[in-house]
Amino acid sequence: MLTFTLRRLLLAIPTLLVISLVIFLLVDLAPGSPLSQIPLTVPPDVRQKMIEALGADQPVMFRYVLWLRQFFWVEPMNLFDGWFGTHIVEGEQRILSWQSRSPVFSIIGERIPQTLIVIGTAYLVGILIALPIGIYSAYRQYSLFDQIGTLFAMIGFSVPTFFSGTLFIIIFSVWLGWLPTKYDTTLQVIDWASFLEQIKQMILPVMTLGLANAASISRYMRSSMLDNMGMDYVRTARAKGLSERVVVLKHVLRNSLIPVVTVIALGIPSIFGGAIITENLFGVNGIGAALIGAIQASDIPMVQTLAFIFAVLIVLFNLIADVLYGFLDPRIRYD
Amino acid sequence: MKLRTALLGAVAVMGLSPAAFADRGTDGEVKLTFPQAVSIMNPYLSGGTKDIYASSMVLEPLAGLTPEGTLVPKLAAEIPTLENGGVSADMTSITWKLQPGLLWSDGSAVTAADAVFTWQYCTHPEGGCSQATKYEGVASVEAVDDATIKVTFDGPKANPYTAFVSALAPIIQKAQFEACIGAAAPTCTDANNMPIGTGPFMVTGFTVNDTVSMAMNPNYRDPAKPAFATAMIKGGGDAESSARAVMETGEFDYAWNTQIPPDSQAAMAAAGKGEFVVAFGTLVERIEMNTTDPSADLPEGERATAKHPHPFLSDIKVRTALSMAIDRSILVEVGYGAGGKPTCNVIPGPEGWASDNTACLTQDLEGAKALLEEAGWTDSDGDGIRDKDGKKLHILYQTTVNPIRQDFQALIKDWWTEIGVEVELKSIDPGVFFGGDAGSPDTFQKFYADVEMYANNSEMPDPESYLSQYMCSKAPTPESQWQGENINRFCDPAYDALITELGTTTDMAKRQEIAIKLNDMVTKDSMIVVPLVHRGTLSAHSNALGGVQINAWDSELWNVADWFRVK
């Protein structure tokens, strides 16, 4: 198992390098200019000077190598300097966003907590709703509960978040006036009152995303349970006289969870990736909102860095899912 | 009796506007929301309106502009003029006096050296200052003494109020930005995000592209202002959600740029929690006519250049007919509601600068048809499309991707089809259209289409630099890497001569007269530019917020120090 993990990690290095180059070229070749949001009243010669000050007029390969150096040397060492008070890369250019001129990693650092709290909670809530629905729907296949569960899943699948989110806003904020529509990122949780505020402002985005997450996971759970319900070992367990509760929750559920856990693990990078539409809709300043804002402003350093971090996370969680699979299912061996 | 009346009057005034006499910081928090989040608080490193407006709460210029477009002193003691000797008789220099006792929010004194530094900061060749035009023509800025700033121009300047005027050119603190000049400018993240200023508020927290938190400035020059102790600007979302947060849920006090469809405007206003306010500057949505041939059959390097005149748009009768076929009031009704007015002018305001040209406001489809007949365009094969010498009247009409613009395209296509013109529509991503990339065929400068639609405006009430865009020399060409503002490639020596005359005229009445003549030359006389809608900026404020005076000539938040809570 260890050699397998090491081999996969080593293989990941060239993969990620190729990915980084492809992302860089894609982002760079995409049409658009970092100055497209600047008013037309700014004349062409001033625009040219602004482009030069950004370094956007340098050749592509030069900028790629510079980015690689900044990403793999300057930024980690900058973190190291910050922790241990050393001065290894002091004065070196960090990766700066073109739009805000702030270091990209400070922006990401500012935004990761929001994304993890809101999107992470939504994922967790989604799983907690999905598993019971999936289990019971499979156990009572074609029952009324199963039909309702299926309807719920289909709605979650097919209604886009920009629609369900807006609908929730109109119902809960405009009509009922219970919940805020804009997420206040400056809110600090210091006492029960502010904690309650935090919960209140999280309800709408978590509900919107949780519905979508729960829909897909509950379907996986249901079908995996159905696969197992008809197996011989289930009949054996029943024949032994085990209670239904033990048969379903101990024997069937454990075996059915194997593929579901993999699906859940593979979905984790998407938590870090944020949720572009939901974050924008509710003003959660997470990673997804940062990405779409950077794309609209052709902020290449920001888009490039975020896209690459997503690539790293996806490669990493694929590996974790594989390893986890080996742990959960003793039949699978990688050596 | 007189004293009694005066006292009674004073009591009545106090009773009517209690908040005007409120003490500093007694009204709690004011919450603003922008559909585009604030990226940076330094207007010299950003051209984005969102950043300029946000920074105007903190940084201040010597003078600002009122909603009427007149100058109002901010840090300056008074506006220098020819009469008071502040502007030299030959118009080559202007001398500003600072108000006495001005302090930065950190308690240090504001001096003329800060202004000199600001000029050096923005004119540094490696700084990439986005407001460089504000300091164009400035030969030197000197600190005569601690409170006197002398700006010398490299020649007579008809409009000397550019440097250090309006939210686009505020004074920054030398002590804070000294190490941030030139190439180092973008690396000073803390200074750029939390500049020390003289305005009513100071930044206490900044999250990039999200929230700016501010507190009242204890050293603000008016001890009774601002009424609010803290302020915050939350960014992100879209115009619809910003408007909703003010007009329907009441979570915010003020929302900038809430340009939403007219029916949504009406629905939200009906909720009764706030109102929309609109300011009209010079922003005009227009159709620009290409005077050169954009045909793809021409070789690159010659396509869309003055070498090949446009096959039919070079005929003024065709251009006029196209303008006559448009019903501008329907366009306003569909697209902008209260946020727009029909117009025939490139310079629609302010009063005095605008031409009285209103001829285009009534649609005349029959007249347009007759004009096309007269120009020799007839439908000889009966397919509904006019032709001449075997060539069909076919127009490629491009604009950016934007729901209102697509509505406009559809409406105008219908009208043009009705007068026998075949119209092909094209919409381009705004990032590409306005991106100015010389390698892309879809930029508005390259203009590989017959007509295109977008909006443009004059930054200042005085439109000299704006009108000079249509000079022959400013046409984008392959030689200029397709940079240039005269995108129609309009070229009229008489126009260029008038622009030169405008540059040397200092008498205001005469300047306005020339500007009106120039406006007419590109609009009603030549139909090179077909103005459609005079667009305002539509913002919303809640009924609980008082003192809002929306402004099109300066930052919309120009008088934020006077805002108060309606109780």
Side-chain angles (χ1 to χ4, degrees):
Chain A
M1 188 67 105
L2 188 67
T3 44
F4 167 77
T5 314
L6 281 177
R7 203 170 61 224
R8 282 283 299 265
L9 278 176
L10 284 176
L11 256 173
I13 294 172
T15 315
L16 285 173
L17 274 177
V18 172
I19 291 177
S20 78
L21 181 66
V22 171
I23 295 175
F24 199 90
L25 292 177
L26 269 179
V27 172
D28 195 79
L29 291 175
S33 150
L35 298 187
S36 58
Q37 291 186 339
I38 302 290
L40 293 180
T41 45
V42 175
D45 49 323
V46 177
R47 281 168 186 269
Q48 187 55 34
K49 284 244 172 70
M50 290 170 78
I51 290 269
E52 281 164 23
L54 291 174
D57 57 337
Q58 305 280 2
V60 180
M61 274 303 136
F62 177 86
R63 281 185 286 127
Y64 176 61
V65 174
L66 180 72
W67 178 84
L68 278 184
R69 192 187 127 74
Q70 287 173 334
F71 191 92
F72 289 105
W73 172 250
V74 181
E75 290 293 344
M77 283 301 127
N78 189 67
L79 198 66
F80 186 84
D81 282 355
W83 284 345
F84 301 102
T86 50
H87 303 281
I88 303 172
V89 288
E90 200 176 59
E92 293 237 26
Q93 173 86 290
R94 298 181 62 190
I95 306 177
L96 291 186
S97 149
W98 282 350
Q99 194 186 11
S100 63
R101 313 291 180 101
S102 299
V104 167
F105 275 88
S106 347
I107 302 177
I108 296 175
E110 244 169 33
R111 286 173 172 254
I112 275 282
Q114 262 77 245
T115 288
L116 288 188
I117 291 172
V118 177
I119 316 296
T121 310
Y123 202 62
L124 209 66
V125 167
I127 294 170
L128 290 180
I129 297 175
L131 296 190
I133 292 182
I135 294 164
Y136 198 73
S137 295
Y139 184 64
R140 291 264 181 264
Q141 201 186 0
Y142 305 131
S143 68
L144 183 66
F145 184 90
D146 185 27
Q147 304 290 359
I148 293 172
T150 307
L151 180 72
F152 166 81
M154 286 307 134
I155 290 172
F157 260 131
S158 47
V159 177
T161 47
F162 65 81
F163 182 81
S164 54
T166 313
L167 194 69
F168 289 152
I169 286 181
I170 290 176
I171 296 175
F172 293 102
S173 302
V174 178
W175 291 351
L176 299 172
W178 291 347
L179 302 167
T181 61
K182 295 227 180 238
Y183 191 89
D184 178 6
T185 41
T186 56
L187 180 75
Q188 302 207 338
V189 178
I190 38 168
D191 49 22
W192 282 108
S194 55
F195 180 72
L196 206 69
E197 278 297 301
Q198 176 68 19
I199 297 288
K200 267 172 83 175
Q201 67 175 351
M202 276 174 63
I203 292 178
L204 284 181
V206 166
M207 198 155 71
T208 307
L209 272 179
L211 178 69
N213 286 334
S216 63
I217 297 172
S218 73
R219 297 315 282 176
Y220 280 116
M221 190 70 233
R222 179 179 178 272
S223 66
S224 176
M225 284 288 282
L226 284 177
D227 282 348
N228 277 289
M229 289 291 249
M231 294 290 230
D232 288 343
Y233 74 85
V234 179
R235 193 178 305 130
T236 312
R238 286 202 173 115
K240 279 200 302 186
L242 293 179
S243 71
E244 272 302 284
R245 190 185 169 78
V246 175
V247 171
V248 175
L249 292 185
K250 206 161 174 191
H251 293 256
V252 182
L253 179 61
R254 274 196 178 179
N255 284 297
S256 317
L257 270 178
I258 296 170
V260 176
V261 166
T262 323
V263 167
I264 291 174
L266 286 177
I268 290 177
S270 69
I271 300 178
F272 290 87
I276 291 174
I277 292 164
T278 316
E279 285 183 6
N280 248 325
L281 194 61
F282 295 100
V284 179
N285 69 329
I287 297 291
L291 181 65
I292 191 71
I295 291 173
Q296 280 164 350
S298 296
D299 184 353
I300 294 179
M302 186 88 196
V303 178
Q304 161 74 14
T305 307
L306 281 175
F308 185 66
I309 291 175
F310 297 160
V312 171
L313 287 173
I314 288 168
V315 169
L316 198 71
F317 277 93
N318 264 306
L319 177 63
I320 290 176
D322 281 351
V323 173
L324 209 59
Y325 212 86
F327 270 115
L328 292 176
D329 190 346
R331 288 167 298 185
I332 292 170
R333 278 288 166 263
Y334 294 109
D335 301 319
Chain B
M1 187 63 193
K2 256 187 182 169
L3 181 69
R4 203 179 111 93
T5 322
L7 282 175
L8 274 179
V11 169
V13 168
M14 286 177 85
L16 280 174
S17 54
F21 292 86
D23 281 332
R24 171 182 287 177
T26 51
D27 281 356
E29 183 172 48
V30 60
K31 294 171 91 177
L32 295 88
T33 176
F34 287 8
Q36 291 161 298
V38 180
S39 304
I40 189 166
M41 290 291 279
N42 179 351
Y44 291 117
L45 292 185
S46 166
T49 310
K50 61 200 169 86
D51 304 329
I52 290 162
Y53 282 8
S55 62
S56 76
M57 293 173 76
V58 175
L59 297 169
E60 289 181 307
L62 291 174
L65 292 150
T66 63
E68 293 76 40
T70 52
L71 288 160
V72 58
K74 289 247 173 178
L75 296 180
E78 60 170 351
I79 302 295
T81 57
L82 273 169
E83 290 75 44
N84 66 22
V87 178
S88 69
D90 58 357
M91 306 292 278
T92 56
S93 73
I94 181 169
T95 308
W96 296 86
K97 280 265 184 206
L98 288 173
Q99 286 185 30
L102 284 178
L103 294 179
W104 292 102
S105 58
D106 65 354
S108 58
V110 180
T111 68
D114 291 311
V116 176
F117 173 79
T118 301
W119 167 67
Q120 288 163 344
Y121 179 87
C122 188
T123 50
H124 193 286
E126 283 166 37
C129 175
S130 49
Q131 310 303 342
T133 40
K134 288 286 188 181
Y135 298 94
E136 210 172 61
V138 175
S140 72
V141 177
E142 304 157 65
V144 179
D145 58 51
D146 267 1
T148 313
I149 302 147
K150 186 178 178 197
V151 181
T152 312
F153 302 104
D154 50 16
K157 193 139 163 120
N159 176 18
Y161 309 107
T162 53
F164 312 120
V165 175
S166 94
L168 296 166
I171 298 203
I172 53 174
Q173 194 193 38
K174 182 179 180 183
Q176 191 185 22
F177 282 92
E178 208 157 18
C180 307
I181 203 160
T187 58
C188 292
T189 309
D190 287 342
N192 291 334
N193 289 348
M194 302 176 85
I196 293 168
T198 53
F201 292 96
M202 55 184 195
V203 188
T204 52
F206 185 87
T207 38
V208 177
N209 284 341
D210 177 47
T211 310
V212 191
S213 312
M214 285 175 272
M216 59 180 181
N217 171 4
N219 295 312
Y220 187 59
R221 56 185 176 277
D222 187 336
K225 290 170 184 172
F228 290 102
T230 54
M232 66 101 85
I233 303 176
K234 167 83 183 177
D238 51 29
E240 189 101 30
S241 72
S242 294
R244 190 183 297 127
V246 171
M247 306 287 289
E248 290 191 326
T249 66
E251 290 165 80
F252 285 82
D253 296 305
Y254 190 89
W256 162 68
N257 199 0
T258 49
Q259 189 58 62
I260 51 173
D263 48 334
S264 305
Q265 286 172 23
M268 286 195 186
K273 287 199 168 146
E275 61 172 314
F276 286 108
V277 279
V278 61
F280 286 97
T282 55
L283 188 65
V284 170
E285 185 82 20
R286 78 280 298 279
I287 288 179
E288 304 264 4
M289 303 264 171
N290 199 343
T291 62
T292 63
D293 190 354
S295 163
D297 303 334
L298 292 170
E300 280 299 315
E302 289 191 16
R303 184 178 180 190
T305 64
K307 208 167 168 183
H308 302 278
H310 196 281
F312 54 87
L313 285 180
S314 39
D315 184 349
I316 185 166
K317 285 184 179 138
V318 178
R319 299 197 297 262
T320 312
L322 291 175
S323 171
M324 283 163 83
I326 299 169
D327 187 341
R328 288 161 175 81
S329 41
I330 290 190
L331 293 180
V332 170
E333 212 175 288
V334 167
Y336 293 98
K341 315 189 256 210
T343 187
C344 304
N345 291 317
V346 165
I347 309 284
E351 197 80 33
W353 294 96
S355 167
D356 59 358
N357 166 25
T358 51
C360 75
L361 295 184
T362 27
Q363 184 189 32
D364 183 3
L365 287 170
E366 292 314 310
K369 284 179 194 163
L371 211 56
L372 286 176
E373 294 282 337
E374 209 182 304
W377 290 92
T378 47
D379 185 11
S380 60
D381 53 6
D383 63 352
I385 300 158
R386 290 172 191 274
D387 52 84
K388 183 177 168 181
D389 309 330
K391 223 175 139 38
K392 297 225 177 266
L393 196 49
H394 174 98
I395 284 182
L396 176 61
Y397 174 10
Q398 70 180 19
T399 188
T400 65
V401 177
N402 169 317
I404 298 177
R405 294 209 167 117
Q406 266 72 73
D407 283 348
F408 276 28
Q409 276 187 321
L411 283 167
I412 292 172
K413 180 179 176 169
D414 279 351
W415 291 319
W416 285 355
T417 312
E418 204 174 319
I419 60 168
V421 179
E422 188 180 32
V423 185
E424 185 187 340
L425 300 180
K426 183 172 175 183
S427 42
I428 300 161
D429 179 80
V432 177
F433 191 71
F434 295 120
D437 177 7
S440 162
D442 290 328
T443 66
F444 78 106
Q445 291 105 331
K446 238 178 199 174
F447 207 167
Y448 282 179
D450 301 303
V451 299
E452 64 185 5
M453 177 171 70
Y454 61 91
N456 200 353
N457 66 305
S458 166
E459 199 169 75
M460 304 280 287
D462 187 314
E464 182 184 336
S465 67
Y466 179 48
L467 284 167
S468 68
Q469 285 180 6
Y470 294 102
M471 288 169 76
C472 300
S473 59
K474 300 214 169 169
T477 58
E479 293 75 40
S480 70
Q481 298 303 313
W482 296 104
Q483 299 304 309
E485 296 142 310
N486 179 3
I487 53 120
N488 323 68
R489 293 81 153 131
F490 169 72
C491 191
D492 182 349
Y495 188 90
D496 284 20
L498 259 183
I499 289 281
T500 319
E501 195 188 329
L502 183 63
T504 53
T505 308
T506 53
D507 176 56
M508 192 53 88
K510 185 84 185 121
R511 283 181 73 76
Q512 295 183 339
E513 192 186 308
I514 297 175
I516 289 172
K517 217 183 272 175
L518 288 166
N519 170 75
D520 292 351
M521 283 174 89
V522 287
T523 55
K524 71 172 175 189
D525 299 347
S526 66
M527 292 291 174
I528 286 296
V529 185
V530 175
L532 303 172
V533 178
H534 181 192
R535 283 170 50 185
T537 42
L538 192 70
S539 293
H541 72 84
S542 83
N543 292 335
L545 181 68
V548 174
Q549 267 188 287
I550 192 167
N551 189 335
W553 307 109
D554 202 334
S555 164
E556 248 176 48
L557 314 176
W558 71 292
N559 71 336
V560 69
D562 305 332
W563 289 10
F564 59 90
R565 175 73 59 218
V566 176
K567 285 167 185 132

